[in-house]
Amino acid sequence: MAKHQDLTDGQRAYEARRAAKAGMTLEKWLAEKEKRAKAEAAEAAKEAEEAAKAAQPAKKGWLGRLLDKAHQPLK
């Protein structure tokens, strides 16, 4: 999220209305919003890492390696 100095007048008014609805000041609201965005990004990165780890194929066992060797042509 952009710093509150970078907000346009319309964005500032919108965020001020949301802050008032939540019972917070604009600065507190923007700080909370930024904190929430960082937490969500960290959670998404963690989930992506877990998905990548789960996508790796499992190592073949003894029988699987033996069958692979049996299907190869003789040298």
Side-chain angles (χ1 to χ4, degrees), residues 6-64:
D6 297 340
L7 296 176
T8 64
D9 292 336
Q11 289 171 328
R12 184 182 310 278
Y14 173 75
E15 294 296 342
R17 283 193 305 270
R18 291 186 66 191
K21 192 173 185 179
M24 299 179 176
T25 63
L26 179 59
E27 290 77 24
K28 187 175 178 183
W29 172 259
L30 291 176
E32 182 69 27
K33 186 175 179 182
E34 185 174 342
K35 182 179 173 184
R36 225 177 307 124
K38 284 182 183 180
E40 288 174 1
E43 182 67 27
K46 183 179 176 184
E47 288 177 5
E49 183 180 319
E50 289 175 0
K53 193 179 270 188
Q56 294 175 347
K59 192 172 181 180
K60 286 194 174 188
W62 175 79
L63 185 59

